Amino acid sequence: SILNEHIPMFNYNEARIVAKLNANENPYGPSPKVIKAISDSISLGNRYGHGEAKVLIDMIAEKEGVTPDHIMLSPGSSDILEKVAFVQFMNGGNVVSADPSYMSLMNTAQKLGATWKPSLLTGDYQHDLEAMAKSVDSETNLVYICNPNNPTGSITDATKLKAFCSTVSEKTPVFVDEAYLEFLDKPEESSMVGLVAEGKDVIIARTFSKVHGMAGLRIGYMVALPERIESITSKVRSTMGLCVTSLNGAIASMKDPSFITSCRNMNTDCREYTKGEIASLGYDIIPSHTSFMIFPIRMEGQAFMKGMYDSGVGIRVFNIDDKPWCRVSMGTKEEMEIFVDAFKKVTA
Ligand code: PLP
C-alpha cells in the first residue's frame, strides 16, 4: 500500500519543541484529582495492585453495562492491540482493515506472518464496510476498525457499523478501537460496546491515554466476550503488568467526569480555531471528530517537517496517496497559535 506511512520524526531534538503536537496527547491532563490520587498511592508501591484492579474493573463493567468477566485491564490500549494480534495471528491468516488507519495491530500481525488486506476509505473518509465485508474470507482471523479513525480523524456511521459488526462477527472477531470515542459529543451513541453485552464476538479497546490525559501512565481496557479475554490471559499475558499508582489514577479519573467534559470542550474550541485558520489559507481539512486533524500540504514533506520542528512545533507528516499530509494534534489554544504562526512561516 502507498498509504499511511509516516515520515520518521525521530531525528529531531524534542527538547527544543515548544508545542508538542505529534502524538495526540491531551495537553490538559491528568486531572488534579488524578494527580492527588497518584501522589497519595505512591506509598502503596510495595504492594501489588490486585485489589485496585478489581475496583477499577467493577467500575468499568458498570459503566459499560457488562459483567466484570467481560473486562481486561492493560497498560494502555497498545498492549491490547498487541496481545490480540499475538493470539489471533500466531498461526498466520489475514487481517482486514481500512487504509489509512492506525497500524499497530496490523503491523504486529504482519510480523507474525499474517497478511494485511487493506480496504480504502470511502470518499467521505468512512470505513468502506461493504468492501471490508467482501474482503473477509476463510483465512481472516480478525477485522480491525478504528472509530473515530486515526490518522484521518473521520467517523464511520454508527448504525451502519453496528450492522456490520453484528454480521461479520458471526464469521470472525471484529476489533473496534475506540481510543478517540470520548471526543464525540455523545460517545455512547457511537460505541460498539453494546454488541458485546448482546453476546457478539466484538472486541472493544479503550484507553485512558487520550481524553483522560494519562498517556504516560499507561492504562487501558478491553471489553469482550469472556472466552476472548480468556484466550489472551491463558496464552500471552499475566495480570501483573499494572501499576498501583496508575490504577488509582484511573479510578480517580472515572470519578471526575467534569474534567473529561472540559477537555472535550477545550479540544472542540481548539479544533474550530485551527480549522478556521488553516482553511482560510486554502487547505482542505478532513472533518475531524478527534483530538487531531489532517490535511494535504503543498510542499515536500521532509522539508515541511524540518521547518516546523526548527520552529519548535512537533507535528507528523503522513504519505497518503503519495502526497504529504500534515497531522496536527490539538494542544492548548496558545500552542495552536504557535502552530498556525509556524505553519504560515514555513509554507510561505
Ligand atoms: N489506538 C489508537 C487509534 C491510537 O491512536 C493510539 C495512540 O495514539 C493507541 C491505540 C494506543 O494508545 P495507548 O497505548 O496509549 O492506549
Side-chain angles (χ1 to χ4, degrees):
S1 165
I2 49 168
L3 306 185
N4 205 43
E5 292 159 349
H6 64 76
I7 298 174
M9 57 175 187
F10 304 108
N11 304 339
Y12 298 96
N13 177 4
E14 298 224 336
R16 296 178 53 253
I17 297 299
V18 287
K20 187 172 180 302
L21 309 172
N22 57 15
N24 299 345
E25 295 152 335
N26 180 338
Y28 312 107
S31 112
K33 290 184 182 157
V34 171
I35 294 171
K36 177 160 191 327
I38 289 179
S39 311
D40 290 351
S41 61
I42 291 171
S43 59
L44 300 173
N46 57 323
R47 303 288 176 196
Y48 292 111
H50 299 306
E52 287 80 0
K54 188 179 177 322
V55 171
L56 181 58
I57 285 176
D58 287 348
M59 286 173 79
I60 293 169
E62 197 186 328
K63 173 170 175 271
E64 304 298 354
V66 292
T67 53
D69 56 346
H70 291 77
I71 308 293
M72 187 183 86
L73 297 178
S74 61
S77 58
S78 296
D79 185 62
I80 299 168
L81 292 158
E82 183 182 80
K83 297 306 183 318
V84 168
F86 282 178
V87 168
Q88 295 305 116
F89 300 104
M90 55 171 74
N91 298 314
N94 71 57
V95 55
V96 171
S97 88
D99 181 12
S101 192
Y102 187 67
M103 287 301 290
S104 166
L105 188 148
M106 283 75 81
N107 286 343
T108 309
Q110 289 181 95
K111 281 179 201 149
L112 292 166
T115 309
W116 177 37
K117 292 180 82 177
S119 196
L120 296 183
L121 296 170
T122 62
D124 58 352
Y125 301 101
Q126 301 202 34
H127 285 74
D128 189 339
L129 299 172
E130 257 176 57
M132 291 178 78
K134 279 195 196 127
S135 193
V136 171
D137 60 27
S138 58
E139 307 280 300
T140 305
N141 289 341
L142 187 105
V143 174
Y144 173 81
I145 302 270
C146 187
N147 199 41
N149 192 36
N150 184 7
T152 53
S154 51
I155 189 154
T156 297
D157 179 80
T159 309
K160 288 185 189 149
L161 184 56
K162 232 166 249 175
F164 171 89
C165 291
S166 286
T167 325
V168 173
S169 65
E170 301 291 328
K171 295 188 200 147
T172 190
V174 181
F175 188 112
V176 190
D177 185 335
E178 297 186 340
Y180 298 97
L181 183 85
E182 292 106 325
F183 290 105
L184 301 175
D185 290 334
K186 291 181 180 157
E188 47 302 317
E189 289 182 7
S190 292
S191 176
M192 294 299 123
V193 78
L195 294 172
V196 182
E198 289 173 24
K200 302 282 182 190
D201 196 358
V202 172
I203 300 167
I204 310 290
R206 293 275 185 76
T207 183
F208 285 84
S209 297
K210 304 300 174 185
V211 86
H212 289 266
M214 296 174 63
L217 295 162
R218 312 307 299 138
I219 287 271
Y221 64 91
M222 164 170 140
V223 189
L225 297 180
E227 50 268 40
R228 279 283 156 227
I229 291 180
E230 171 74 17
S231 77
I232 293 171
T233 51
S234 66
K235 287 184 189 143
V236 292
R237 84 193 283 267
S238 72
T239 54
M240 303 293 275
L242 299 163
C243 166
V244 72
T245 42
S246 298
L247 286 164
N248 278 314
I251 291 167
S253 203
M254 286 195 68
K255 290 183 186 160
D256 192 8
S258 62
F259 177 77
I260 305 298
T261 307
S262 82
C263 287
R264 182 187 301 141
N265 292 342
M266 288 187 283
N267 180 69
T268 307
D269 288 350
C270 283
R271 214 167 54 194
E272 288 305 308
Y273 162 76
T274 311
K275 188 174 82 181
E277 291 289 323
I278 299 300
S280 75
L281 300 170
Y283 291 88
D284 284 330
I285 303 152
I286 298 182
S288 167
H289 300 264
T290 59
S291 57
F292 57 89
M293 63 179 64
I294 194 165
F295 53 95
I297 52 174
R298 301 183 207 124
M299 64 184 280
E300 197 270 316
Q302 193 70 41
F304 170 74
M305 187 154 57
K306 182 167 181 346
M308 293 299 285
Y309 275 77
D310 285 347
S311 314
V313 180
I315 42 80
R316 287 231 181 168
V317 177
F318 285 74
N319 263 332
I320 301 181
D321 249 347
D322 252 355
K323 292 185 204 84
W325 293 58
C326 168
R327 192 197 70 182
V328 57
S329 310
M330 293 304 104
T332 60
K333 183 75 191 302
E334 293 69 34
E335 287 172 323
M336 299 327 292
E337 286 166 1
I338 294 169
F339 164 77
V340 169
D341 285 348
F343 186 85
K344 286 180 180 163
K345 200 181 81 196
V346 170
T347 57

